[in-house]
Amino acid sequence: MPSRYVDGMESYDYVIVGAGSAGCVLAYRLSADPATRVLLIEAGPEDRSPLIHMPKGFGRLFGDPRHVWYFPVEPDGGRNRPEVWLRGKVLGGSSSINGMVYMRGQAANYDDWQARGLGGWGWPDMLRCFRAIENHALGASDLRGAGGPLTVTPDREPHPLSDAVVDAAVSLGLPRRDDINTEADEGVGYVIRTINRGRRWSAASAFLRPARRRPNLTVVTDALVERVLFEGRRAVGVSVRRAGRAPEVHRARGEVILAAGALMSPVLLQRSGVGPGALLQAHGVEVVADRPMVGENLIEHRMLAMQYRLRGLAGHNREHAGIRLAANVLGYYLTRRGVLAKASHELGMLIKSGPDVLTPDVQILASPVTYDRSATSFALEAEPGMHFIGHAIQPRSRGRVMMRGAEMNAPPEIHAGYLTDAHDRRIALFVTDFVRRLVRAPALAPYVTAELSPGAEITDTEDILDLHLRSGNAGYHAVGTCAMGAQPDAVVDARLRVRGVEGLRIVDCSVMPTIPSGNTNGPAMALAWRAADLIVDRGHARPAAA
Ligand SMILES: Cc1cc2nc3c(=O)[nH]c(=O)nc-3n(C[C@H](O)[C@H](O)[C@H](O)COP(=O)(O)OP(=O)(O)OC[C@H]3O[C@@H](n4cnc5c(N)ncnc54)[C@H](O)[C@@H]3O)c2cc1C
């Protein structure tokens, strides 16, 4: 049995940085072996807030800096309102504040990774991981899992308006699906959600909570990892800052694993001396390994919310204010049902933007609420309304994320790169056109009185693109900033080891070389499940016992 101590300091086989979607899965898997000591370090607090667990609590949660990171994005492209990307800062990470839409991406996405020379990341491997993590309410099949830690459920109480949207989509040629995740082709259906018995089923609920009973797993919260520590080129631990305490060092006998997410993992690497040499030197950081691609290849979805005023059917806006809200809160705690037990969106569509497109390249989500566009927070309108968001699910535009200063409290410099590629601009126009056709379809038209945003008068191509840039939103799905690749300049290899150094891996959305087609929480968790196979399989090299 190797010693628990190195240089008189307690040490761990694995030190995991970040208890988000990927970090929680990793902690669950790696601590399954009682002989393996795992330390999981999270910058945010325990996930005790009731607003986390009540699904629709996220609107309020977004304004709470104790649970949320706010990352300002550079105003490239002349946007006229400041854009801030949110991320979860709490056990469960972004899975504790997200919209709970469960998507897996398409088989073709992962087969493309395999075709890029990334052996072991093709669809058969990833399907095995998805099936292993899932406890799917629609039951097990060749394409779905049951009995896994992650309960996922369909919305069984959709608003009648959503039924009308489904009918409208069917009338435009989209097949109706019970589970759009298991289809390789187009379709419309009610979303599958990471909601279990009316409660958000975050990665912390699904994976971390059961693992915390294990004595070999230590979880530290409210602890900011400032940098990875190297001896030569070998990562040996991390330095951590906790409020009111002297800086701490936590040693890793085996590996340090970054799971800080697609915005923080690259910046943490850069601040630790692994990144573009000139950038590091400009900030006075000693270069451990000159890796120019760290922080490049940022991929994010750009979506425009299209909002409509309603008649005949009220939507959910009024359910979130006044006496109705009070009744809904009470009803929620009595039954775990109702409007507060819902995900961000009730239904989704996967669409091919043209006859030559092989797999769906557009995602549209719909919800019977409208947001007050003049408010800075996520306030709902008082009048009845519904909205759609849509985007290119495989965007080709690329951005970057770079350290702005050597201190962890300096926010990174983010360039989103939205719509810099013609493919993404074409799809932005397709989405606007498709939604307008949808609301004109006979199943939906009787309920819609007006297009509130962008506004029916906006028809010029350049005006629509301009609106996507100026008034659109991020999908909060950023990936790719420490992309794995077979080529020598890729940040991590197919086993997620950081090239140029030893004892350091990255396991989170940043290693995805392309974005899975849809929302990214499910893919992050499946990726971490796969990563655990790779890490354990190697039996990581423990230095001889002291
Ligand atoms: C508002 C919002 C809505 C979303 N909606 C959906 C949705 O409906 N469906 C879906 O599938 N996806 C959704 N997503 C995306 C999805 O949740 C994320 O892609 C996914 O959770 C990312 O997983 P991750 O493990 O890469 O990072 P995260 O889950 O973000 O985890 C990173 C963790 O690392 C911690 N951390 C960072 N830096 C440090 C440090 N220096 N020291 C210590 N800890 C650190 C963070 O606090 C965080 O807990 C949404 C995301 C957001 C933000």
Side-chain angles (χ1 to χ4, degrees):
M1 182 92 172
S3 166
R4 286 172 53 171
Y5 298 92
V6 175
D7 299 338
M9 212 179 300
E10 191 160 10
S11 81
Y12 299 85
D13 295 303
Y14 302 106
V15 172
I16 304 171
V17 180
S21 303
C24 289
V25 174
L26 260 191
Y28 172 88
R29 297 271 340 260
L30 296 180
S31 64
D33 173 1
T36 300
R37 289 173 49 77
V38 178
L39 174 65
L40 177 64
I41 307 174
E42 167 56 42
E46 297 278 341
D47 57 343
R48 293 205 183 99
S49 166
L51 293 174
I52 294 174
H53 303 290
M54 179 173 72
K56 274 285 182 186
F58 65 79
R60 286 271 171 97
L61 211 52
F62 286 171
D64 173 7
R66 182 146 164 72
H67 293 101
V68 178
W69 301 91
Y70 303 98
F71 295 109
V73 179
E74 297 302 308
D76 305 330
R79 280 189 299 277
N80 66 352
R81 64 188 178 117
E83 181 168 330
V84 175
W85 288 357
L86 312 181
R87 287 294 179 280
K89 183 184 182 184
V90 56
L91 291 185
S94 299
S95 75
S96 288
I97 69 159
N98 73 8
M100 295 153 287
V101 174
Y102 180 69
M103 295 290 289
R104 306 193 307 192
Q106 295 160 0
N109 303 147
Y110 303 103
D111 286 339
D112 172 58
W113 293 4
Q114 175 94 16
R116 291 165 180 252
L118 298 167
W121 290 99
W123 180 235
D125 300 289
M126 291 303 285
L127 176 59
R128 183 179 56 72
C129 297
F130 280 114
R131 293 188 69 232
I133 64 175
E134 284 172 0
N135 181 33
H136 207 301
L138 297 181
S141 73
D142 289 350
L143 296 172
R144 276 196 297 261
L150 184 75
T151 295
V152 293
T153 55
D155 187 337
R156 297 201 192 276
E157 297 178 317
H159 191 277
L161 195 66
S162 296
D163 295 332
V165 177
V166 171
D167 290 342
V170 169
S171 76
L172 294 188
L174 293 185
R176 191 187 299 259
R177 308 284 191 196
D178 287 337
D179 180 2
I180 51 176
N181 268 322
T182 52
E183 302 293 337
D185 215 332
E186 296 183 311
V188 56
Y190 297 108
V191 297
I192 306 295
R193 302 110 20 106
T194 44
I195 295 179
N196 184 9
R197 297 184 187 180
R199 289 167 65 89
R200 173 192 292 275
W201 212 233
S202 69
S205 308
F207 297 95
L208 192 56
R209 193 155 302 137
R212 284 186 88 170
R213 294 185 214 111
R214 300 171 183 162
N216 58 321
L217 172 63
T218 303
V219 180
V220 177
T221 54
D222 294 297
L224 184 72
V225 172
E226 296 199 296
R227 51 187 49 85
V228 179
L229 303 173
F230 289 93
E231 284 173 7
R233 290 197 160 212
R234 179 164 192 89
V236 293
V238 294
S239 70
V240 172
R241 187 170 290 277
R242 287 199 255 184
R245 297 196 190 201
E248 300 163 21
V249 168
H250 293 281
R251 303 273 309 196
R253 274 175 303 176
E255 297 185 10
V256 174
I257 305 172
L258 299 187
L263 303 178
M264 291 297 258
S265 283
V267 170
L268 202 43
L269 260 192
Q270 292 167 2
R271 287 179 175 137
S272 307
V274 181
L279 175 83
L280 272 46
Q281 280 161 348
H283 289 295
V285 175
E286 191 183 329
V287 178
V288 177
D290 182 4
R291 306 297 302 163
M293 290 305 289
V294 173
E296 298 289 344
N297 191 51
L298 171 67
I299 313 170
E300 174 57 298
H301 289 140
R302 183 62 169 179
M303 41 188 68
L304 180 68
M306 298 183 67
Q307 306 216 99
Y308 292 88
R309 183 66 72 233
L310 300 176
R311 70 173 157 223
L313 286 172
H316 282 159
N317 284 354
R318 64 180 182 172
E319 303 295 334
H320 292 270
I323 190 79
R324 282 177 182 269
L325 175 60
N328 285 328
V329 171
L330 184 64
Y332 172 77
Y333 282 111
L334 290 173
T335 66
R336 302 274 180 218
R337 293 169 60 176
V339 293
L340 299 177
K342 285 181 169 289
S344 61
H345 293 86
E346 286 198 349
L347 66 91
M349 299 166 220
L350 292 175
I351 310 165
K352 292 195 269 200
S353 66
D356 303 330
V357 177
L358 296 178
T359 57
D361 54 353
V362 177
Q363 180 184 23
I364 292 178
L365 295 167
S367 175
V369 297
T370 42
Y371 292 97
D372 178 356
R373 305 287 297 172
S374 64
T376 46
S377 63
F378 278 71
L380 294 182
E381 290 191 319
E383 299 291 304
M386 70 178 307
H387 83 267
F388 300 86
I389 50 173
H391 56 274
I393 36 181
Q394 284 286 310
R396 296 182 190 165
S397 306
R398 295 292 182 266
R400 60 206 292 260
V401 53
M402 297 292 148
M403 67 191 280
R404 207 189 291 267
E407 297 308 314
M408 272 314 279
N409 54 12
E413 181 179 325
I414 299 172
H415 297 271
Y418 293 133
L419 304 193
T420 44
D421 188 283
H423 162 269
D424 303 351
R425 294 195 291 277
R426 181 181 66 75
I427 299 227
L429 296 172
F430 174 89
V431 166
T432 314
D433 178 63
F434 187 91
V435 172
R436 284 175 171 168
R437 281 193 282 138
L438 200 62
V439 296
R440 285 198 304 266
L444 199 49
Y447 305 114
V448 176
T449 58
E451 182 176 296
L452 303 170
S453 62
E457 71 286 0
I458 311 275
T459 53
D460 177 76
T461 299
E462 285 309 312
D463 291 346
I464 292 171
L465 289 176
D466 191 46
L467 268 167
H468 273 263
L469 280 175
R470 286 194 293 112
S471 305
N473 295 91
Y476 301 122
H477 297 152
V479 306
T481 48
C482 298
M484 66 172 142
Q487 67 281 17
D489 71 342
V491 179
V492 299
D493 66 12
R495 300 182 79 85
L496 308 184
R497 295 172 297 205
V498 178
R499 284 204 172 85
V501 296
E502 289 168 28
L504 184 61
R505 289 192 213 233
I506 307 178
V507 179
D508 58 28
C509 283
S510 65
V511 302
M512 297 175 180
T514 60
I515 195 164
S517 294
N519 310 57
T520 41
N521 184 34
M525 293 185 282
L527 178 140
W529 190 276
R530 176 82 193 111
D533 291 343
L534 298 172
I535 295 167
V536 171
D537 175 49
R538 177 173 162 256
H540 76 85
R542 286 182 187 168

